[in-house]
Amino acid sequence: MTEEHIREIDEPAAANSKAEATEEKEDWKSFGWFLVKLVIVVLIFRTFFFTSFNIPSESMMPRLLVGDYLFSQKWSYGYSSASLPFGIDAGDGRIFGSQPDRGDIVIFKHPIDRSDYIKRVIGLPGDTVQMVDGVLHLNSAPVGMERIEDYVLPVTPNHQCRSQRFATTTEDGAPACAYPQFRETLPGGASYNIMDLGELPQDNTAPVVVPEGMLFLMGDNRDNSLDSRFPAEPGRGIGLVPQENLVAEASFMYWSTDGNAEWLLPWTWFSAARWGRIGDGI
């Protein structure tokens, strides 16, 4: 075979190899741009629209349970360094800020340690808030409080009975807890269920006047919530919360699990799901 024939054979092969390398490089470049655009979209989504939050404690029972995962809308109360990612400094106050309504469930930054908390808005600026024998008083008047049926919750890895006196069983004989439950109605009409487990020191408090720019927040599980009835301490009470600490308004549940799932057993991810709670509005 002549040298000319060898060159004729080699040149197409080299051209094909070069074309393949160029095509592979373009594929990686396209994939890289896709990732960049995806990151930008996620950042915009998390900055201005929704953020995710999971329930780590029982302070908001019966409405929210340990193992609930929420989407929370960020535009409800405006934007501040508390609600922007990476602690971006937005200056003093909030951009496009608006005041929450009594009864809203809000996610906020603890006034001292800046960790995320979730509670219900009870007192707005100018309100006087006081607990008297376990009954919430706003501006010297008791709010509506009606005894309703006990809240029955099965025993799971995510929940054990707070005391043996609440132990019971479900209709199929499974262990459960039955907690005293009340329907509370605030001025303005917001109505929701709370739990009161008995007489405790936080059932009676001194009257507190909420200053301008602050909020009085409480958990629905009144005897198991470190909230505005307690002074602000890292990892404990929250005291009065500045409105600029608001992160988002709880919106709806996208997942809920009772804690029985195991990472190495994928089928348990589904058997542990509390399907009846998924998609619920808050």
Side-chain angles (χ1 to χ4, degrees), residues 62 146-153 165-168 177-183 193-197:
E146 175 191 3
R147 180 72 159 91
I148 58 176
E149 74 282 354
D150 286 351
Y151 180 68
V152 178
L153 182 65
R165 65 190 174 99
F166 301 118
T168 186
C177 314
Y179 297 115
Q181 186 175 213
F182 300 81
R183 189 72 175 170
N193 294 351
I194 65 168
M195 286 173 19
D196 191 328
L197 308 182

Side-chain angles (χ1 to χ4, degrees), residues 40-205:
I40 292 173
V41 169
V42 170
L43 282 175
I44 292 173
F45 183 83
R46 290 209 56 181
T47 298
F48 298 108
F49 298 103
F50 285 96
T51 187
S52 178
F53 186 81
N54 69 288
I55 303 301
S57 75
E58 298 181 348
S59 69
M60 285 299 294
M61 286 173 54
R63 184 65 196 96
L64 299 174
L65 306 178
V66 175
D68 287 344
Y69 290 77
L70 320 176
F71 274 131
S72 305
Q73 58 194 49
K74 303 186 76 171
W75 65 84
S76 295
Y77 311 126
Y79 305 93
S80 69
S81 58
S83 60
L84 295 175
F86 313 117
I88 296 173
D89 186 2
D92 295 332
R94 292 175 294 157
I95 302 171
F96 307 120
S98 61
Q99 185 168 270
D101 295 322
R102 293 192 193 95
D104 285 359
I105 296 179
V106 298
I107 296 166
F108 60 95
K109 295 292 185 183
H110 189 284
I112 297 178
D113 65 28
R114 306 297 287 179
S115 56
D116 288 330
Y117 276 57
I118 184 167
K119 302 291 180 190
R120 190 180 296 275
V121 176
I122 298 297
L124 299 175
D127 285 340
T128 299
V129 184
Q130 184 178 17
M131 294 293 293
V132 180
D133 296 329
V135 178
L136 174 64
H137 285 58
L138 277 177
N139 302 316
S140 303
V143 304
M145 187 172 175
E146 175 191 3
R147 180 72 159 91
I148 58 176
E149 74 282 354
D150 286 351
Y151 180 68
V152 178
L153 182 65
V155 171
T156 68
N158 276 351
H159 177 74
Q160 303 292 319
C161 288
R162 184 168 174 80
S163 169
Q164 189 59 34
R165 65 190 174 99
F166 301 118
T168 186
T169 57
T170 60
E171 291 182 357
D172 59 4
C177 314
Y179 297 115
Q181 186 175 213
F182 300 81
R183 189 72 175 170
E184 189 171 82
T185 303
L186 298 177
S191 189
Y192 46 87
N193 294 351
I194 65 168
M195 286 173 19
D196 191 328
L197 308 182
E199 294 184 12
L200 289 172
Q202 58 265 38
D203 288 332
N204 288 280
T205 64

